[in-house]
Amino acid sequence: MNDFEYRNGELYCEDLRVSDIADKMGTPFYLYSRHTFISHYQAIDQAFNEIPHIICYSVKANSNVALLKLLANEGSGADIVSGGELYRALKGGIDPGRIVFAGLGKTAEEIEYALKEGILMFNVESSQEMLLINEVAEKMGKQAPVAIRVNPDIDPKTHPNIATGLKESKFGIPLNQAMAEYEVAKRLSSIKPVGIHQHIGSQILESGPFEASLRKIANLANSLKVLGMDIQYINIGGGFGIQYTDEQPPTPEQFAAAIVPILSGSGCTAILEIGRMIAGNAGILATKVLYNKKTEEKEFLVVDAAMNDLMRPALYQADHHVAPVKSLETAREVVVDVVGPICESTDFLARDKVIPEVAQGDLLAVFSTGAYGFCMSSNYNSRPRVPEILVSGKKAYVIRRRETYDDLITWEAIPRDF
Ligand SMILES: *Cc1c(COP(=O)(O)O)cnc(C)c1O
């Protein structure tokens, strides 16, 4: 399920040549395939068909409003972590009744905004947050539907920086305190406990951690029902892993085969907060080689994209597949570091990569950058952010234009008396 493929040595996105888009748009740019993006959503949706479920796309993975609109058309909900993401989700046309609000630092303003819009529920991460939601809801004369984010103390076997369900993590409420917290919630006049939430990590490459944690969660759901609480939703979080280089992640069907039997007896609607598996392999970052540079130790490709455009390598030592946009089978293979122009040693897109030799001016594609790519980008080193382009068949849409130098200083002001 990938619409990025080589035809006669030329990389295509759906029916367009990446090099043609580069000629028109300049480099660097993010390029997304509409078909890949939507078919990933549909594959997960179908895999969980046996049980009532809602896919709440994790907006933080790629928050472009055009992509949110495509998902809204499919009936997707949204998993948000801020007021800004709520704004985006609503602008994209996502039904507020299918929006869940996670994150451990919600402000009173964000809570009020979400209650006003009538979201499906808050995923509550602490006792104080529960009290604040109650207070805000009471003032507005509303009932706030909540799930408690439970920390099941499960090792998701992923990169430590993206594991979130371990005992020492800042996220959620420990499982052994959850019952007490639900009892408190039940007594609060403007809180209505309706679900249980977990999110154990990201880029999870086996279904075992989900099975282990969801057994605990299903037990908790039963205990809560015995206490007379109307628990209607079990939110399994996100984290379904994808292939970046040689990983072998379970398919949506394989994840579902492990998870569905645990949830099917619960009588609850499953919520899935999937980000990476929908967006990750639906995008590439296209960049141009500015210089070939050789030292005694290393061979570098200095490219026009940098860590401000794609943070994952610097942030998580993420390993992305990198390949020339025009691929000559006869080319000699070389080992290179692909680095950007930024004045930081951590500014690299790939290290010790074996790729066919490329020359100054050639284009490279950094694959699997549809998730946690553009949305993490910044203007560091006063670099205008790159455009996002969405391909659908033979059509290319600019869904975010390239920033200009003027854009860089739009929000700044020189005081009059300077
Ligand atoms: C980031 C996040 C997700 C999405 O994770 P993916 O690995 O992209 O699927 C889901 N839920 C919560 C609470 C998150 O923080």
Side-chain angles (χ1 to χ4, degrees):
M1 236 175 359
N2 199 326
D3 296 282
F4 296 93
E5 59 169 19
Y6 286 90
R7 297 180 206 157
N8 301 320
E10 278 267 4
L11 181 62
Y12 276 74
C13 176
E14 299 196 15
D15 297 324
L16 293 180
R17 267 205 292 246
V18 175
S19 59
D20 286 344
I21 298 172
D23 286 345
K24 277 207 196 86
M25 297 296 307
T27 55
F29 56 87
Y30 276 96
L31 187 63
Y32 308 129
S33 157
R34 172 178 176 166
H35 179 257
T36 304
F37 188 77
I38 290 305
S39 57
H40 286 169
Y41 171 87
Q42 290 169 341
I44 301 164
D45 195 31
Q46 275 157 28
F48 283 83
N49 242 343
E50 260 178 60
I51 51 171
H53 68 277
I54 304 175
I55 298 178
C56 291
Y57 170 71
S58 188
V59 173
K60 77 176 194 282
N62 187 326
S63 48
N64 187 291
V65 282
L67 299 179
L68 297 178
K69 180 64 170 55
L70 290 180
L71 288 172
N73 294 348
E74 297 292 315
S76 178
D79 156 43
I80 59 163
V81 294
S82 70
E85 286 192 351
L86 175 53
Y87 182 81
R88 282 182 179 278
L90 296 172
K91 284 283 171 189
I94 290 177
D95 175 1
R98 295 170 90 80
I99 294 179
V100 293
F101 194 166
L104 74 172
K106 302 174 193 77
T107 64
E109 292 75 22
E110 288 176 320
I111 293 164
E112 188 182 338
Y113 179 23
L115 281 170
K116 190 173 90 202
E117 297 295 342
I119 65 164
L120 180 57
M121 76 187 78
F122 294 90
N123 296 327
V124 178
E125 304 229 15
S126 68
S127 315
Q128 289 192 348
E129 182 194 334
M130 186 78 80
L131 295 178
L132 181 60
I133 294 175
N134 183 58
E135 201 179 295
V136 175
E138 199 169 337
K139 264 189 215 143
M140 297 172 74
K142 298 211 179 214
Q143 285 280 104
V146 304
I148 289 178
R149 178 172 181 172
V150 170
N151 180 338
D153 188 20
I154 289 290
D155 183 358
K157 306 207 174 77
T158 183
H159 190 283
N161 291 10
I162 49 177
T164 52
L166 287 164
K167 216 189 271 176
E168 61 268 30
S169 142
K170 70 175 178 179
F171 298 103
I173 289 176
L175 191 60
N176 60 8
Q177 294 170 22
M179 278 299 270
E181 196 59 46
Y182 273 102
E183 302 253 28
V184 171
K186 196 181 159 195
R187 286 195 300 268
L188 292 171
S189 60
S190 299
I191 293 281
K192 187 170 186 289
V194 295
I196 306 175
H197 175 234
Q198 68 158 23
H199 173 66
I200 56 176
S202 203
Q203 184 57 7
I204 297 170
L205 293 168
E206 43 192 302
S207 52
F210 282 99
E211 291 173 55
S213 64
L214 287 173
R215 283 207 188 90
K216 297 184 184 186
I217 302 276
N219 281 340
L220 175 62
N222 277 335
S223 312
L224 293 173
K225 282 183 187 171
V226 169
L227 287 179
M229 269 179 257
D230 188 16
I231 299 299
Q232 304 158 38
Y233 300 93
I234 292 180
N235 184 334
I236 73 165
F240 291 1
I242 64 167
Q243 184 175 29
Y244 283 97
T245 53
D246 46 18
E247 300 90 342
Q248 297 283 330
T251 61
E253 293 74 26
Q254 287 167 333
F255 273 120
I259 291 168
V260 165
I262 299 170
L263 298 185
S264 61
S266 70
C268 289
T269 296
I271 297 176
L272 293 85
E273 302 173 331
I274 308 297
R276 191 184 309 265
M277 192 187 252
I278 294 173
N281 277 318
I284 64 168
L285 173 63
T287 181
K288 189 172 72 184
V289 177
L290 298 174
Y291 304 105
N292 297 87
K293 175 169 171 173
K294 254 190 197 145
T295 65
E296 263 171 39
E297 290 291 315
K298 288 236 173 200
E299 193 164 332
F300 295 100
L301 296 177
V302 183
V303 298
D304 61 1
M307 67 186 283
N308 72 299
D309 303 307
L310 178 66
M311 282 250 287
R312 298 190 69 257
L315 196 59
Y316 315 117
Q317 295 78 48
D319 188 17
H320 288 266
H321 178 59
V322 178
V325 162
K326 284 185 206 233
S327 142
L328 298 173
E329 279 182 14
T330 51
R332 193 171 70 93
E333 296 217 306
V334 287
V335 183
V336 294
D337 277 16
V338 182
V339 301
I342 286 186
C343 308
E344 298 281 349
S345 301
T346 51
D347 180 24
F348 67 96
L349 299 182
R351 272 190 179 147
D352 299 320
K353 274 275 155 189
V354 181
I355 68 165
E357 195 168 38
V358 288
Q360 195 173 24
D362 286 354
L363 296 174
L364 292 179
V366 185
F367 288 85
S368 315
T369 49
Y372 307 105
F374 181 85
C375 55
M376 278 190 177
S377 67
S378 77
N379 290 123
Y380 187 41
N381 275 212
S382 288
R383 293 166 51 83
R385 265 174 294 202
V386 307
E388 294 178 283
I389 298 160
L390 176 72
V391 171
S392 178
K394 287 181 163 48
K395 272 191 176 161
Y397 303 89
V398 178
I399 58 173
R400 193 182 203 277
R401 68 162 171 80
R402 189 183 300 284
E403 289 181 358
T404 64
Y405 288 152
D406 260 349
D407 290 331
L408 289 177
I409 56 165
T410 297
W411 313 113
E412 295 167 31
I414 302 176
R416 274 181 195 286
D417 52 351
F418 277 17

